[in-house]
Amino acid sequence: MKTLFSGVQPSGIPTIGNYLGAYKQFTELQHEYDSYFCIVDQHAITVPQDRLKLRENTKTLAAIYLASGLDPEKITLFVQSEVSAHAKAAWMLQSVTYIGELERMTQYKDKARKQSAKEGINAGLLTYPTLMAADILLYGASIVPVGDDQNQHLELTRTLAERFNNRYNDIFTVPEVKLPEVGGRIMSLNEPTKKMSKSDDNAKSYISLLDNPKTAAKKIRSAVTDSGSEIRFDKENKPGISNLLVIYSGLTGQSIKDLEAEYEGKSYGEFKTALGEVVESFLTDFQERVNEYVESGRIDDILDEGRERASRKADKMVEKMERAMGLGRKR
Ligand code: TYM
Protein backbone atom coordinates (compact mmCIF):
# COMPACT_ATOMS: atom_id res chain seq x y z
CA MET A 1 0.00 0.00 0.00
CA LYS A 2 1.33 3.44 -0.92
CA THR A 3 1.74 6.15 1.70
CA LEU A 4 -0.09 9.45 2.14
CA PHE A 5 1.05 12.36 4.28
CA SER A 6 -0.50 15.72 5.10
CA GLY A 7 -0.39 18.34 7.86
CA VAL A 8 -2.35 21.25 9.28
CA GLN A 9 -0.99 24.02 11.52
CA PRO A 10 -2.53 24.51 14.98
CA SER A 11 -2.17 28.26 14.54
CA GLY A 12 -5.90 28.87 15.03
CA ILE A 13 -9.15 27.02 14.47
CA PRO A 14 -9.35 25.68 10.90
CA THR A 15 -11.83 27.24 8.50
CA ILE A 16 -14.29 25.84 6.04
CA GLY A 17 -11.51 26.52 3.48
CA ASN A 18 -9.23 24.09 5.30
CA TYR A 19 -12.09 21.60 5.39
CA LEU A 20 -12.81 21.75 1.66
CA GLY A 21 -9.17 22.02 0.58
CA ALA A 22 -7.72 19.44 2.93
CA TYR A 23 -9.83 17.46 5.45
CA LYS A 24 -12.44 16.41 2.94
CA GLN A 25 -9.75 14.89 0.72
CA PHE A 26 -8.13 13.17 3.73
CA THR A 27 -11.37 11.39 4.54
CA GLU A 28 -11.90 10.30 0.95
CA LEU A 29 -8.34 8.98 0.52
CA GLN A 30 -7.67 7.39 3.93
CA HIS A 31 -8.69 3.87 2.86
CA GLU A 32 -6.57 3.83 -0.29
CA TYR A 33 -3.27 4.71 1.41
CA ASP A 34 -1.28 4.07 4.56
CA SER A 35 -2.12 7.54 5.87
CA TYR A 36 -0.16 9.83 8.20
CA PHE A 37 -1.77 13.06 9.42
CA CYS A 38 0.24 15.55 11.39
CA ILE A 39 -0.55 18.51 13.64
CA VAL A 40 2.40 20.65 12.62
CA ASP A 41 3.08 22.69 15.75
CA GLN A 42 6.75 23.30 14.83
CA HIS A 43 5.53 25.06 11.70
CA ALA A 44 3.12 27.16 13.77
CA ILE A 45 5.90 28.74 15.87
CA THR A 46 7.36 30.48 12.83
CA VAL A 47 4.86 33.21 13.70
CA PRO A 48 4.27 34.34 17.31
CA GLN A 49 1.93 32.06 19.30
CA ASP A 50 0.54 32.18 22.80
CA ARG A 51 1.95 28.99 24.39
CA LEU A 52 -1.23 27.99 26.23
CA LYS A 53 -3.42 28.71 23.23
CA LEU A 54 -1.07 26.69 21.01
CA ARG A 55 -1.39 23.65 23.28
CA GLU A 56 -5.16 24.03 23.42
CA ASN A 57 -5.38 24.34 19.64
CA THR A 58 -3.20 21.24 19.22
CA LYS A 59 -5.74 19.11 21.09
CA THR A 60 -8.70 20.78 19.38
CA LEU A 61 -7.11 20.19 16.01
CA ALA A 62 -6.86 16.47 16.77
CA ALA A 63 -10.61 16.40 17.47
CA ILE A 64 -11.25 18.32 14.25
CA TYR A 65 -9.17 15.89 12.19
CA LEU A 66 -11.14 12.98 13.65
CA ALA A 67 -14.52 14.71 13.32
CA SER A 68 -13.84 15.12 9.60
CA GLY A 69 -14.29 11.37 9.34
CA LEU A 70 -10.82 9.89 9.82
CA ASP A 71 -10.80 6.40 11.28
CA PRO A 72 -8.31 6.35 14.18
CA GLU A 73 -7.98 2.56 13.84
CA LYS A 74 -6.68 2.93 10.30
CA ILE A 75 -4.74 6.16 10.11
CA THR A 76 -1.84 7.58 12.12
CA LEU A 77 -2.53 10.96 13.73
CA PHE A 78 0.30 12.64 15.62
CA VAL A 79 1.90 15.88 16.81
CA GLN A 80 5.00 16.96 14.87
CA SER A 81 7.10 18.13 17.86
CA GLU A 82 6.62 14.73 19.54
CA VAL A 83 8.48 12.95 16.73
CA SER A 84 12.06 14.22 16.87
CA ALA A 85 12.87 12.87 13.40
CA HIS A 86 11.18 15.89 11.78
CA ALA A 87 13.61 18.47 13.15
CA LYS A 88 16.60 16.21 12.45
CA ALA A 89 15.59 15.58 8.85
CA ALA A 90 14.79 19.25 8.30
CA TRP A 91 18.31 20.19 9.39
CA MET A 92 19.87 17.73 6.98
CA LEU A 93 17.64 18.92 4.14
CA GLN A 94 18.66 22.52 4.77
CA SER A 95 22.09 21.52 3.50
CA VAL A 96 20.66 20.62 0.11
CA THR A 97 18.42 23.69 -0.15
CA TYR A 98 19.46 26.98 -1.75
CA ILE A 99 18.52 30.21 -0.01
CA GLY A 100 17.28 31.55 -3.36
CA GLU A 101 14.78 28.68 -3.58
CA LEU A 102 13.40 29.57 -0.16
CA GLU A 103 13.25 33.29 -0.88
CA ARG A 104 11.13 32.61 -3.96
CA MET A 105 8.29 31.00 -1.98
CA THR A 106 5.21 33.23 -2.15
CA GLN A 107 4.03 32.22 1.34
CA TYR A 108 7.42 33.32 2.70
CA LYS A 109 7.21 36.64 0.85
CA ASP A 110 3.70 37.33 2.21
CA LYS A 111 4.51 36.42 5.79
CA ALA A 112 7.92 38.12 5.73
CA ARG A 113 6.27 41.36 4.61
CA LYS A 114 3.94 41.20 7.63
CA GLN A 115 6.74 40.29 10.07
CA SER A 116 9.17 42.92 8.85
CA ALA A 117 6.54 45.59 9.44
CA LYS A 118 6.59 44.66 13.15
CA GLU A 119 10.03 43.17 13.92
CA GLY A 120 12.80 41.22 12.16
CA ILE A 121 11.99 38.25 9.94
CA ASN A 122 12.82 35.04 11.80
CA ALA A 123 14.93 32.39 10.08
CA GLY A 124 12.29 29.71 10.69
CA LEU A 125 9.94 31.51 8.35
CA LEU A 126 12.51 31.17 5.57
CA THR A 127 13.41 27.52 6.24
CA TYR A 128 9.78 26.48 6.82
CA PRO A 129 9.58 24.62 3.44
CA THR A 130 12.53 22.35 4.33
CA LEU A 131 10.69 21.26 7.47
CA MET A 132 7.64 20.61 5.34
CA ALA A 133 9.73 18.59 2.89
CA ALA A 134 11.12 16.61 5.85
CA ASP A 135 7.58 15.86 7.06
CA ILE A 136 6.66 14.34 3.74
CA LEU A 137 9.91 12.59 2.78
CA LEU A 138 10.37 10.88 6.16
CA TYR A 139 7.33 8.70 5.51
CA GLY A 140 8.08 7.87 1.88
CA ALA A 141 4.77 9.51 0.98
CA SER A 142 3.80 9.17 -2.66
CA ILE A 143 0.78 11.45 -2.36
CA VAL A 144 0.17 14.70 -0.46
CA PRO A 145 -3.40 16.06 -0.43
CA VAL A 146 -3.39 19.84 0.12
CA GLY A 147 -5.09 23.04 -1.01
CA ASP A 148 -3.69 25.11 -3.91
CA ASP A 149 -1.61 27.39 -1.69
CA GLN A 150 0.76 24.52 -0.80
CA ASN A 151 1.52 23.59 -4.41
CA GLN A 152 4.72 25.62 -4.55
CA HIS A 153 6.01 23.99 -1.35
CA LEU A 154 5.29 20.60 -2.86
CA GLU A 155 7.26 21.47 -5.98
CA LEU A 156 10.23 22.35 -3.79
CA THR A 157 9.82 19.09 -1.85
CA ARG A 158 10.06 17.18 -5.11
CA THR A 159 13.17 19.13 -6.13
CA LEU A 160 14.85 18.46 -2.77
CA ALA A 161 14.00 14.75 -2.90
CA GLU A 162 15.52 14.43 -6.36
CA ARG A 163 18.59 16.46 -5.43
CA PHE A 164 19.23 14.36 -2.30
CA ASN A 165 18.67 11.11 -4.23
CA ASN A 166 21.18 12.17 -6.90
CA ARG A 167 23.75 13.63 -4.57
CA TYR A 168 23.76 11.00 -1.79
CA ASN A 169 21.65 7.90 -2.17
CA ASP A 170 18.34 7.07 -3.77
CA ILE A 171 16.28 6.86 -0.56
CA PHE A 172 13.37 9.26 -1.06
CA THR A 173 10.07 8.73 -2.85
CA VAL A 174 9.32 11.80 -4.98
CA PRO A 175 5.79 12.76 -3.89
CA GLU A 176 2.85 13.86 -6.04
CA VAL A 177 0.59 16.69 -4.98
CA LYS A 178 -3.16 15.98 -4.81
CA LEU A 179 -5.38 19.04 -5.17
CA PRO A 180 -9.15 18.76 -4.74
CA GLU A 181 -11.40 18.96 -7.79
CA VAL A 182 -13.50 21.69 -6.15
CA GLY A 183 -12.43 23.84 -3.21
CA GLY A 184 -8.65 24.00 -3.61
CA ARG A 185 -8.75 27.72 -2.91
CA ILE A 186 -11.71 29.02 -0.90
CA MET A 187 -11.73 32.80 -0.87
CA SER A 188 -12.46 35.38 1.83
CA LEU A 189 -16.17 36.17 2.27
CA ASN A 190 -15.70 39.91 2.31
CA GLU A 191 -12.78 40.17 -0.13
CA PRO A 192 -13.27 37.30 -2.57
CA THR A 193 -10.06 37.97 -4.45
CA LYS A 194 -8.08 37.04 -1.30
CA LYS A 195 -7.68 33.54 0.16
CA MET A 196 -9.83 32.62 3.19
CA SER A 197 -7.46 32.35 6.12
CA LYS A 198 -7.80 31.36 9.77
CA SER A 199 -5.38 34.11 10.74
CA ASP A 200 -7.32 36.96 9.08
CA ASP A 201 -7.95 39.88 11.46
CA ASN A 202 -11.53 40.20 10.26
CA ALA A 203 -13.62 37.28 11.61
CA LYS A 204 -16.35 38.01 9.04
CA SER A 205 -14.00 37.00 6.24
CA TYR A 206 -13.91 33.33 7.23
CA ILE A 207 -16.05 30.60 8.71
CA SER A 208 -14.28 28.72 11.44
CA LEU A 209 -15.23 25.07 11.89
CA LEU A 210 -16.13 25.94 15.49
CA ASP A 211 -18.16 29.08 14.69
CA ASN A 212 -21.64 29.15 16.15
CA PRO A 213 -23.64 27.66 13.22
CA LYS A 214 -26.19 30.49 13.25
CA THR A 215 -23.45 33.14 13.22
CA ALA A 216 -21.82 31.30 10.33
CA ALA A 217 -25.11 31.37 8.35
CA LYS A 218 -25.25 35.11 8.99
CA LYS A 219 -21.68 35.51 7.68
CA ILE A 220 -22.74 33.78 4.46
CA ARG A 221 -25.80 36.00 4.13
CA SER A 222 -23.63 39.09 4.48
CA ALA A 223 -20.86 37.82 2.18
CA VAL A 224 -19.83 40.24 -0.56
CA THR A 225 -21.46 39.48 -3.92
CA ASP A 226 -20.86 41.01 -7.31
CA SER A 227 -22.62 43.43 -9.60
CA GLY A 228 -25.43 41.95 -11.72
CA SER A 229 -27.89 39.41 -10.38
CA GLU A 230 -27.15 36.15 -12.17
CA ILE A 231 -25.97 33.12 -10.19
CA ARG A 232 -23.23 31.92 -12.47
CA PHE A 233 -19.68 30.63 -12.02
CA ASP A 234 -17.30 33.24 -13.45
CA LYS A 235 -14.20 33.68 -11.31
CA GLU A 236 -12.96 36.74 -13.19
CA ASN A 237 -16.10 38.82 -13.23
CA LYS A 238 -18.07 37.30 -10.35
CA PRO A 239 -15.52 36.27 -7.71
CA GLY A 240 -18.00 36.55 -4.80
CA ILE A 241 -20.78 34.37 -6.21
CA SER A 242 -18.24 31.95 -7.73
CA ASN A 243 -16.68 31.40 -4.32
CA LEU A 244 -20.09 30.77 -2.73
CA LEU A 245 -20.95 28.31 -5.51
CA VAL A 246 -17.73 26.42 -4.78
CA ILE A 247 -18.52 26.27 -1.05
CA TYR A 248 -22.06 25.07 -1.82
CA SER A 249 -20.79 22.42 -4.21
CA GLY A 250 -18.04 21.28 -1.85
CA LEU A 251 -20.41 20.84 1.09
CA THR A 252 -23.27 19.15 -0.76
CA GLY A 253 -21.55 17.26 -3.58
CA GLN A 254 -23.88 18.95 -6.11
CA SER A 255 -22.01 20.06 -9.21
CA ILE A 256 -21.65 23.77 -9.95
CA LYS A 257 -23.56 23.23 -13.24
CA ASP A 258 -26.52 21.75 -11.32
CA LEU A 259 -26.46 24.59 -8.82
CA GLU A 260 -26.47 27.18 -11.61
CA ALA A 261 -29.53 25.46 -13.10
CA GLU A 262 -31.28 25.17 -9.72
CA TYR A 263 -30.80 28.87 -8.94
CA GLU A 264 -31.48 30.23 -12.41
CA GLY A 265 -33.69 33.31 -12.13
CA LYS A 266 -33.37 33.40 -8.32
CA SER A 267 -31.83 36.28 -6.39
CA TYR A 268 -28.48 36.47 -4.63
CA GLY A 269 -30.45 36.78 -1.38
CA GLU A 270 -32.30 33.50 -1.91
CA PHE A 271 -29.09 31.73 -2.88
CA LYS A 272 -27.19 33.01 0.14
CA THR A 273 -30.04 32.10 2.52
CA ALA A 274 -30.03 28.54 1.14
CA LEU A 275 -26.23 28.27 1.41
CA GLY A 276 -26.44 29.69 4.95
CA GLU A 277 -28.71 26.77 5.85
CA VAL A 278 -26.33 24.27 4.25
CA VAL A 279 -23.42 25.70 6.25
CA GLU A 280 -25.44 25.81 9.47
CA SER A 281 -26.46 22.18 9.25
CA PHE A 282 -22.94 21.08 8.22
CA LEU A 283 -21.39 22.87 11.21
CA THR A 284 -24.02 21.57 13.64
CA ASP A 285 -23.24 17.95 12.69
CA PHE A 286 -19.50 18.58 12.54
CA GLN A 287 -19.36 20.17 15.98
CA GLU A 288 -21.40 17.35 17.46
CA ARG A 289 -18.71 14.94 16.30
CA VAL A 290 -15.93 17.21 17.63
CA ASN A 291 -17.64 17.25 21.05
CA GLU A 292 -18.08 13.49 21.02
CA TYR A 293 -14.34 13.07 20.52
CA VAL A 294 -13.45 15.66 23.16
CA GLU A 295 -15.80 14.04 25.68
CA SER A 296 -14.68 10.49 24.84
CA GLY A 297 -11.30 11.16 26.48
CA ARG A 298 -9.66 9.12 23.68
CA ILE A 299 -7.68 11.88 22.02
CA ASP A 300 -4.53 11.54 24.12
CA ASP A 301 -4.46 7.78 23.57
CA ILE A 302 -4.88 8.22 19.82
CA LEU A 303 -2.04 10.79 19.73
CA ASP A 304 0.22 8.63 21.94
CA GLU A 305 -0.26 5.69 19.64
CA GLY A 306 0.23 7.95 16.62
CA ARG A 307 3.54 9.22 18.03
CA GLU A 308 4.81 5.64 18.44
CA ARG A 309 3.82 4.53 14.96
CA ALA A 310 5.12 7.71 13.31
CA SER A 311 8.42 7.58 15.23
CA ARG A 312 9.06 3.98 14.24
CA LYS A 313 8.74 4.82 10.57
CA ALA A 314 10.43 8.24 10.63
CA ASP A 315 13.43 7.16 12.75
CA LYS A 316 14.31 4.55 10.15
CA MET A 317 14.41 7.22 7.44
CA VAL A 318 16.55 9.52 9.59
CA GLU A 319 19.04 6.68 9.97
CA LYS A 320 19.13 6.20 6.20
CA MET A 321 19.69 9.94 5.70
CA GLU A 322 22.51 10.00 8.25
CA ARG A 323 24.13 6.99 6.65
CA ALA A 324 23.83 8.56 3.18
CA MET A 325 25.41 11.81 4.41
CA GLY A 326 28.07 10.18 6.59
CA LEU A 327 26.84 11.52 9.91
CA GLY A 328 27.77 9.78 13.18
CA ARG A 329 29.65 6.50 13.37
CA LYS A 330 29.12 3.28 11.42
CA ARG A 331 26.24 1.28 12.95
P1 TYM B 1 -2.34 25.23 6.70
O1 TYM B 1 -2.38 24.85 8.13
O2 TYM B 1 -2.25 26.67 6.33
O3 TYM B 1 -3.60 24.65 5.95
C1 TYM B 1 -3.98 23.30 6.06
C2 TYM B 1 -4.52 22.79 4.74
O4 TYM B 1 -5.64 23.60 4.32
C3 TYM B 1 -5.44 24.09 3.01
N1 TYM B 1 -6.03 25.44 2.91
C4 TYM B 1 -7.00 25.77 2.06
N2 TYM B 1 -7.67 25.05 1.13
C5 TYM B 1 -8.62 25.71 0.42
N3 TYM B 1 -8.94 27.01 0.60
C6 TYM B 1 -8.30 27.77 1.52
N4 TYM B 1 -8.62 29.05 1.69
C7 TYM B 1 -7.28 27.16 2.30
N5 TYM B 1 -6.45 27.59 3.30
C8 TYM B 1 -5.70 26.53 3.64
C9 TYM B 1 -3.92 24.13 2.84
O5 TYM B 1 -3.57 24.10 1.48
C10 TYM B 1 -3.52 22.89 3.59
O6 TYM B 1 -3.65 21.74 2.78
N6 TYM B 1 2.38 24.24 5.26
C11 TYM B 1 1.08 23.65 5.53
C12 TYM B 1 1.10 22.60 6.62
C13 TYM B 1 2.07 21.49 6.40
C14 TYM B 1 1.95 20.42 5.49
C15 TYM B 1 3.10 19.59 5.70
C16 TYM B 1 0.99 20.06 4.55
C17 TYM B 1 3.25 21.32 7.07
N7 TYM B 1 3.85 20.17 6.67
C18 TYM B 1 3.31 18.44 4.95
C19 TYM B 1 1.21 18.90 3.79
C20 TYM B 1 2.34 18.10 4.00
C21 TYM B 1 0.13 24.76 5.97
O7 TYM B 1 0.54 25.80 6.40
O8 TYM B 1 -1.19 24.42 5.93
Side-chain angles (χ1 to χ4, degrees), residues 113-130:
R113 208 175 302 121
K114 284 186 202 149
Q115 268 188 15
S116 68
K118 292 190 193 146
E119 53 194 40
I121 301 163
N122 73 61
L125 204 61
L126 181 67
T127 57
Y128 180 114
T130 52

PDB file of all heavy atoms in Angstrom, residues 113-130:
ATOM      1  N   ARG A 113       6.701  39.956   4.725  1.00  0.00           N
ATOM      2  CA  ARG A 113       6.268  41.355   4.614  1.00  0.00           C
ATOM      3  C   ARG A 113       5.558  41.764   5.913  1.00  0.00           C
ATOM      4  O   ARG A 113       5.823  42.811   6.476  1.00  0.00           O
ATOM      5  CB  ARG A 113       5.335  41.514   3.412  1.00  0.00           C
ATOM      6  CG  ARG A 113       5.361  42.902   2.814  1.00  0.00           C
ATOM      7  CD  ARG A 113       4.529  43.000   1.544  1.00  0.00           C
ATOM      8  NE  ARG A 113       4.920  42.093   0.487  1.00  0.00           N
ATOM      9  CZ  ARG A 113       4.100  41.163  -0.059  1.00  0.00           C
ATOM     10  NH1 ARG A 113       2.869  41.028   0.360  1.00  0.00           N
ATOM     11  NH2 ARG A 113       4.538  40.394  -1.027  1.00  0.00           N
ATOM     12  N   LYS A 114       4.678  40.880   6.395  1.00  0.00           N
ATOM     13  CA  LYS A 114       3.940  41.205   7.626  1.00  0.00           C
ATOM     14  C   LYS A 114       4.891  41.284   8.820  1.00  0.00           C
ATOM     15  O   LYS A 114       4.792  42.186   9.640  1.00  0.00           O
ATOM     16  CB  LYS A 114       2.871  40.140   7.898  1.00  0.00           C
ATOM     17  CG  LYS A 114       1.669  40.301   7.004  1.00  0.00           C
ATOM     18  CD  LYS A 114       0.557  39.336   7.388  1.00  0.00           C
ATOM     19  CE  LYS A 114      -0.381  39.133   6.214  1.00  0.00           C
ATOM     20  NZ  LYS A 114      -0.995  37.821   6.178  1.00  0.00           N
ATOM     21  N   GLN A 115       5.837  40.296   8.912  1.00  0.00           N
ATOM     22  CA  GLN A 115       6.742  40.290  10.067  1.00  0.00           C
ATOM     23  C   GLN A 115       7.688  41.482  10.057  1.00  0.00           C
ATOM     24  O   GLN A 115       7.966  42.059  11.103  1.00  0.00           O
ATOM     25  CB  GLN A 115       7.565  38.991  10.122  1.00  0.00           C
ATOM     26  CG  GLN A 115       6.889  37.949  10.962  1.00  0.00           C
ATOM     27  CD  GLN A 115       7.741  36.713  11.200  1.00  0.00           C
ATOM     28  OE1 GLN A 115       8.949  36.700  10.973  1.00  0.00           O
ATOM     29  NE2 GLN A 115       7.105  35.674  11.686  1.00  0.00           N
ATOM     30  N   SER A 116       8.175  41.848   8.878  1.00  0.00           N
ATOM     31  CA  SER A 116       9.171  42.917   8.853  1.00  0.00           C
ATOM     32  C   SER A 116       8.542  44.267   9.192  1.00  0.00           C
ATOM     33  O   SER A 116       9.233  45.182   9.621  1.00  0.00           O
ATOM     34  CB  SER A 116       9.883  42.972   7.506  1.00  0.00           C
ATOM     35  OG  SER A 116       8.983  43.376   6.516  1.00  0.00           O
ATOM     36  N   ALA A 117       7.199  44.340   9.050  1.00  0.00           N
ATOM     37  CA  ALA A 117       6.538  45.586   9.442  1.00  0.00           C
ATOM     38  C   ALA A 117       6.566  45.739  10.959  1.00  0.00           C
ATOM     39  O   ALA A 117       6.517  46.849  11.480  1.00  0.00           O
ATOM     40  CB  ALA A 117       5.107  45.589   8.936  1.00  0.00           C
ATOM     41  N   LYS A 118       6.650  44.611  11.690  1.00  0.00           N
ATOM     42  CA  LYS A 118       6.595  44.662  13.155  1.00  0.00           C
ATOM     43  C   LYS A 118       7.970  44.477  13.796  1.00  0.00           C
ATOM     44  O   LYS A 118       8.335  45.123  14.738  1.00  0.00           O
ATOM     45  CB  LYS A 118       5.697  43.527  13.668  1.00  0.00           C
ATOM     46  CG  LYS A 118       4.237  43.728  13.308  1.00  0.00           C
ATOM     47  CD  LYS A 118       3.381  42.700  14.045  1.00  0.00           C
ATOM     48  CE  LYS A 118       1.977  42.666  13.461  1.00  0.00           C
ATOM     49  NZ  LYS A 118       1.389  41.340  13.492  1.00  0.00           N
ATOM     50  N   GLU A 119       8.728  43.509  13.310  1.00  0.00           N
ATOM     51  CA  GLU A 119      10.025  43.168  13.918  1.00  0.00           C
ATOM     52  C   GLU A 119      10.902  42.587  12.822  1.00  0.00           C
ATOM     53  O   GLU A 119      10.581  42.744  11.650  1.00  0.00           O
ATOM     54  CB  GLU A 119       9.793  42.124  15.023  1.00  0.00           C
ATOM     55  CG  GLU A 119       9.018  40.940  14.491  1.00  0.00           C
ATOM     56  CD  GLU A 119       8.468  40.024  15.581  1.00  0.00           C
ATOM     57  OE1 GLU A 119       7.997  40.515  16.598  1.00  0.00           O
ATOM     58  OE2 GLU A 119       8.521  38.810  15.367  1.00  0.00           O
ATOM     59  N   GLY A 120      11.991  41.874  13.196  1.00  0.00           N
ATOM     60  CA  GLY A 120      12.805  41.225  12.156  1.00  0.00           C
ATOM     61  C   GLY A 120      12.070  39.993  11.620  1.00  0.00           C
ATOM     62  O   GLY A 120      11.106  39.531  12.218  1.00  0.00           O
ATOM     63  N   ILE A 121      12.572  39.473  10.511  1.00  0.00           N
ATOM     64  CA  ILE A 121      11.993  38.245   9.940  1.00  0.00           C
ATOM     65  C   ILE A 121      12.769  37.081  10.541  1.00  0.00           C
ATOM     66  O   ILE A 121      13.992  37.029  10.428  1.00  0.00           O
ATOM     67  CB  ILE A 121      12.142  38.246   8.412  1.00  0.00           C
ATOM     68  CG1 ILE A 121      11.433  39.470   7.825  1.00  0.00           C
ATOM     69  CG2 ILE A 121      11.602  36.956   7.807  1.00  0.00           C
ATOM     70  CD1 ILE A 121      11.857  39.778   6.407  1.00  0.00           C
ATOM     71  N   ASN A 122      12.066  36.138  11.179  1.00  0.00           N
ATOM     72  CA  ASN A 122      12.819  35.045  11.804  1.00  0.00           C
ATOM     73  C   ASN A 122      13.240  34.000  10.766  1.00  0.00           C
ATOM     74  O   ASN A 122      12.582  33.806   9.732  1.00  0.00           O
ATOM     75  CB  ASN A 122      12.064  34.446  12.996  1.00  0.00           C
ATOM     76  CG  ASN A 122      10.881  33.614  12.596  1.00  0.00           C
ATOM     77  OD1 ASN A 122      11.034  32.610  11.904  1.00  0.00           O
ATOM     78  ND2 ASN A 122       9.697  34.005  13.029  1.00  0.00           N
ATOM     79  N   ALA A 123      14.357  33.327  11.055  1.00  0.00           N
ATOM     80  CA  ALA A 123      14.928  32.386  10.078  1.00  0.00           C
ATOM     81  C   ALA A 123      13.998  31.210   9.823  1.00  0.00           C
ATOM     82  O   ALA A 123      13.986  30.628   8.731  1.00  0.00           O
ATOM     83  CB  ALA A 123      16.292  31.906  10.575  1.00  0.00           C
ATOM     84  N   GLY A 124      13.208  30.848  10.836  1.00  0.00           N
ATOM     85  CA  GLY A 124      12.285  29.714  10.686  1.00  0.00           C
ATOM     86  C   GLY A 124      11.271  29.951   9.578  1.00  0.00           C
ATOM     87  O   GLY A 124      10.833  29.010   8.915  1.00  0.00           O
ATOM     88  N   LEU A 125      10.910  31.202   9.401  1.00  0.00           N
ATOM     89  CA  LEU A 125       9.944  31.514   8.348  1.00  0.00           C
ATOM     90  C   LEU A 125      10.537  31.190   6.968  1.00  0.00           C
ATOM     91  O   LEU A 125       9.845  30.717   6.081  1.00  0.00           O
ATOM     92  CB  LEU A 125       9.586  33.003   8.432  1.00  0.00           C
ATOM     93  CG  LEU A 125       8.254  33.423   7.851  1.00  0.00           C
ATOM     94  CD1 LEU A 125       7.097  32.737   8.547  1.00  0.00           C
ATOM     95  CD2 LEU A 125       8.100  34.931   7.975  1.00  0.00           C
ATOM     96  N   LEU A 126      11.839  31.439   6.839  1.00  0.00           N
ATOM     97  CA  LEU A 126      12.512  31.170   5.573  1.00  0.00           C
ATOM     98  C   LEU A 126      12.688  29.665   5.346  1.00  0.00           C
ATOM     99  O   LEU A 126      12.452  29.153   4.259  1.00  0.00           O
ATOM    100  CB  LEU A 126      13.875  31.870   5.551  1.00  0.00           C
ATOM    101  CG  LEU A 126      14.687  31.697   4.274  1.00  0.00           C
ATOM    102  CD1 LEU A 126      14.022  32.400   3.095  1.00  0.00           C
ATOM    103  CD2 LEU A 126      16.109  32.234   4.448  1.00  0.00           C
ATOM    104  N   THR A 127      13.086  28.947   6.416  1.00  0.00           N
ATOM    105  CA  THR A 127      13.409  27.522   6.238  1.00  0.00           C
ATOM    106  C   THR A 127      12.180  26.609   6.416  1.00  0.00           C
ATOM    107  O   THR A 127      12.302  25.384   6.304  1.00  0.00           O
ATOM    108  CB  THR A 127      14.524  27.082   7.211  1.00  0.00           C
ATOM    109  OG1 THR A 127      14.101  27.372   8.542  1.00  0.00           O
ATOM    110  CG2 THR A 127      15.824  27.812   6.933  1.00  0.00           C
ATOM    111  N   TYR A 128      11.047  27.210   6.679  1.00  0.00           N
ATOM    112  CA  TYR A 128       9.780  26.478   6.816  1.00  0.00           C
ATOM    113  C   TYR A 128       9.598  25.375   5.746  1.00  0.00           C
ATOM    114  O   TYR A 128       9.267  24.233   6.083  1.00  0.00           O
ATOM    115  CB  TYR A 128       8.663  27.536   6.727  1.00  0.00           C
ATOM    116  CG  TYR A 128       7.238  27.098   6.823  1.00  0.00           C
ATOM    117  CD1 TYR A 128       6.447  27.482   7.907  1.00  0.00           C
ATOM    118  CD2 TYR A 128       6.628  26.364   5.807  1.00  0.00           C
ATOM    119  CE1 TYR A 128       5.113  27.122   7.978  1.00  0.00           C
ATOM    120  CE2 TYR A 128       5.297  26.002   5.875  1.00  0.00           C
ATOM    121  CZ  TYR A 128       4.551  26.383   6.960  1.00  0.00           C
ATOM    122  OH  TYR A 128       3.228  26.018   7.037  1.00  0.00           O
ATOM    123  N   PRO A 129       9.830  25.662   4.451  1.00  0.00           N
ATOM    124  CA  PRO A 129       9.580  24.615   3.443  1.00  0.00           C
ATOM    125  C   PRO A 129      10.500  23.398   3.562  1.00  0.00           C
ATOM    126  O   PRO A 129      10.123  22.313   3.118  1.00  0.00           O
ATOM    127  CB  PRO A 129       9.810  25.331   2.108  1.00  0.00           C
ATOM    128  CG  PRO A 129       9.643  26.771   2.409  1.00  0.00           C
ATOM    129  CD  PRO A 129      10.170  26.946   3.795  1.00  0.00           C
ATOM    130  N   THR A 130      11.682  23.559   4.174  1.00  0.00           N
ATOM    131  CA  THR A 130      12.534  22.355   4.328  1.00  0.00           C
ATOM    132  C   THR A 130      11.971  21.463   5.426  1.00  0.00           C
ATOM    133  O   THR A 130      12.075  20.239   5.353  1.00  0.00           O
ATOM    134  CB  THR A 130      14.006  22.699   4.662  1.00  0.00           C
ATOM    135  OG1 THR A 130      14.034  23.576   5.774  1.00  0.00           O
ATOM    136  CG2 THR A 130      14.723  23.327   3.495  1.00  0.00           C
TER     137      THR A 130
END
